[in-house]
Amino acid sequence: MNPLAPYEPSARDPFDLRKCGHLLRRAGFGASLPERQRLVREGLAAALQHVAPPLAEVPAADALLNEAIAFGSIERVRAFRVWLALQNTHPLRERLSYFWHGHFATSNSKVQDPRAMALMMATFDRLGTGRFDELLTAMLRDPALLRWLDNDVNTSKQPNENLAREVFELFALGRGNYSERDIKEAARALTGWHVRDGQFFRAGYLHDDGDKEVLGVRGKLDGDDVAAIAAARPESARFLAERWLRFFVHPQPERDEIDALAGAYEQHGRDVGATLRVLLGSRLFFSARAYRSKIKSPADFVIGSVRLIGGRAQPTALVAAMATLGETWLEPPSVEGWHGELAWLSPAAWLLRSNFVADLLAGRRGKLAPRAAELLRGYTRPDHLARAASLFCCDGDLSADASERLLEVARAAQGDRAATVLHAATCLPEYQLL
Amino acid sequence: MPAGLPAEVAAMVGRAWWRRGPSSTGTSANSCARVAGGGAALGLLADGARWRWTLALRPGEPAAAAAWLERRGGAVARRFEGPWLLVGSDAAALRSMPTAPADSEGSWWQPALVEAEGAVLRGAVDLAALRRLRGGDGALLAGLDGPGRFLLAPIAHALDHGKLLRLQLVAASSLRLQVQADASIRGAAYGSLLPAGDAGREVPRVAGDVLATLTLDRSLHRLLAQPATYLSPAGVTQVDSFLSIADGFDGPNSSIVDELFGRLAEPATLFVLAPQLPPAAERPPLLLPDFAACVPVADARVEAVVRRVLDLIGIVVNAERAQRRQAPLLLRRWRGEHGSGLAAELPEWRGPGAPPLEAVLSPVVAFGHGHLVVASTTRAAERVLAACAAPEREHVRGDLLRLSGAAIADALATSRDALVLARMLDEGEDQAGAARFFAIADAVLRSVQHLQVAVVPAARETTVTVEAVRQR
């Protein structure tokens, strides 16, 4: 049976709040309860259209890019990225930019250039939902990545293999799908792929223009050829399919799932957006195996909490909160990006998450609007309050034990009861899951 | 209301004003006349950790005033004393009030405190009592770090040692608030950083659009030469750290403290000037105003030391830029109409996106007409050097900060989009809300021709004057 067979809602298996919340969390950064309820009413097709509308129909992500980099501050660029995620104009685009940032993990700690980092993220926004070979070609010309992986000192006389190695191992193929000789030859092809005046510069006099052989292809190859050759390999399709399945569906995808998604990728002309639309509309995506199978990253938790409340908060304060929880955008811990999943949660991290939401609801993380009391206005009975908080935070899908605990909190709550109950709901194990 | 205030804001203020009026005894102006048409005196008393207040009113209509108080609940104590209505936050506060006015004119104000003819508002604060509440003398100055002390020592010392603070607000052609404390830093150790006497000095007067001017009459040389006299132990360590690096620039050739700072005089003046607008395509989204600091030169030999130090700093900066793979600054001798020096420029911006903040900078250190000028652009240096050459001077007593509302508004307008985004990111506002904030700031700034803050430490007292002149 094809794991990517389309999910068709039925009376027995409806597209309900639970499934809608799952889609919006995985293909974006979550949504408010009224937005989720509206999409449930409009149905699965409308929800899929909502998370991945045609790019031409939504505002470009770089409309305020020049203003964001004007201050020359990496903090401002981070806040701008969080602001974009909060805007949610194209949930899948923003989600994929987050994915690609982890995939082509590049850190400003070495690049030391907020403008280059912002432009790299803008490349993800622009090309991240398109063809992977185009994205890979652009990335091998990206000033931030070239600096991060030392390709700006890769010359014909002294080839540097850092970028070539990561192209094969981390970006396009995965271990076991290339040889050391391929790396050496690709490094030669990438010589002279440098940066000047903050942009890509092909330094012809530093480029090795002799014949090379990369992954069985011979010729006077250069960086663009390396990108095209690597992206065209069948191993690349399986490598990317596994990455997407881990990110969007389940931390441990099965072999048949990987094969099916790699096949869909090939079928759709290696177009990332088209492939992911198939995945997001599949039975696999909405399966019990996928549901709440991942742990929220700090970005999912922080941005998602604000999105879920349907309010606004200060992006700079959210950036600081994410950093406290262990995720500093534009500064991944290594070239492998964030390891995620279980690494995100520990008793200390849970406490920090709880404190973040308490601060957020109390207005100590900036101007959160609307306030908790306004969100749960009209709910006065403890059981109604507990039910409303369950719907807001967990799509009404809680175990009997969790529901009972939430009800106890609602009964005992004093003062700002709405904030207390919402806070309690965000402390539940279910809320830590994506 | 400032002209140009966005219509919705003006309407909001208008509605608030209107709501306040009818809810009391008519319009706000009428209410004031009925309750305190003959004047009012407010007193604040500290009683342990608790504050009490008293209010002496001379109502225009005693019955209306009593009714007004009645509507505000029975939480306050009051009594009529002839034509005066005396109010206290409680019975004890009321008992503490004098039972008769201070003079035959019927004023409840103690004229011995502040004699201010024509002041619409007068006030006196018992500083000694306030300090007793806070627990001791010298707390403010001691709490300031090095730069804080250098800037604010006269005010902090006056608040730490004065007995009485007198305030008066005069509303004439301008709105002038004068605050005077009966203590001065001149007799204290920190006073040796100030010039002898308070007659004031002449500083260059820069023509054209000047956003802000800050004049400081202090000796940085004395502070760096004897940091232990003026700074906390942490501050002394900071100065020592700075000097251990700074003295290395010119090596054994000179002492930075004595042969650079010691050859400069006071006062130092910082000018913030309107930026020159580059063509739109070359304009950074955030356009800084021009900055230029100007100090008189006491000994012309300082020029040679400054040139040697700058040459070395240029090399160090360019080495660091090269390590970051940034294009080097182009260092060149600069010669203007009124002076010459060393300028640094970035190569022409050819990168992706809008030019960065620093693309329009050309930092320069120049000498001319007996002054050293350090400026963010050669244009600013030229303007300030021209002012140094001109016979017109401005007489300044003490420290002076002057802000020009319209010029600041113009400068903000050139970077509006970047500032709006910054507010969206920092405050979480949407684009419309952030834009409205700057529209209001623009209207308010344009309504103020200039705002001036002067701090004058005289022999026995320290006076701070804040004066706002409205745009006519």
Side-chain angles (χ1 to χ4, degrees), chain A residues 1 19 82 89 179 203 211 222 265 280 293 337 359 391 418:
Chain A
M1 182 181 164
K19 285 194 167 59
V82 168
T89 47
S179 67
D211 275 349
D222 64 12
Y265 173 63
L280 296 176
S293 61
D359 284 352
L391 281 171

Side-chain angles (χ1 to χ4, degrees), chain B residues 202-260:
Chain B
E202 306 290 319
V203 298
R205 182 193 291 273
V206 175
D209 284 344
V210 180
L211 280 65
T213 309
L214 172 67
T215 300
L216 273 185
D217 211 346
R218 298 270 199 298
S219 171
L220 184 58
H221 170 233
R222 281 191 213 116
L223 183 130
L224 294 176
Q226 297 172 292
T229 309
Y230 308 106
L231 301 176
S232 64
V236 173
T237 306
Q238 284 176 335
V239 168
D240 289 344
S241 307
F242 164 70
L243 291 179
S244 69
I245 297 168
D247 267 331
F249 280 120
D250 203 26
N253 296 319
S254 59
S255 149
I256 289 288
V257 173
D258 294 328
E259 284 154 279
L260 199 156

Side-chain angles (χ1 to χ4, degrees), chain A residues 64 66-71 76 79-80 83 112 115 119 147 152-153 196-199 312-317 367, chain B residues 285-286 324-325 349-357 417-419 421-431:
Chain A
L64 292 171
N66 277 331
E67 284 72 21
I69 58 183
F71 292 84
R76 281 255 192 274
F80 177 63
W83 178 79
Q112 292 289 306
R115 171 185 294 261
L119 292 171
R147 285 203 174 138
D152 54 350
V153 293
R196 192 164 79 180
D197 294 329
Q199 51 198 330
R312 61 183 175 85
Q314 294 163 307
T316 44
K367 297 174 183 171
Chain B
L286 187 68
R324 293 199 296 266
R325 299 194 174 84
W349 171 253
R350 288 180 304 211
L357 188 70
D417 291 347
L419 294 172
L421 179 67
R423 189 165 171 86
M424 288 156 62
L425 301 181
D426 292 344
E427 301 295 331
E429 288 186 348
D430 59 17
Q431 203 159 359

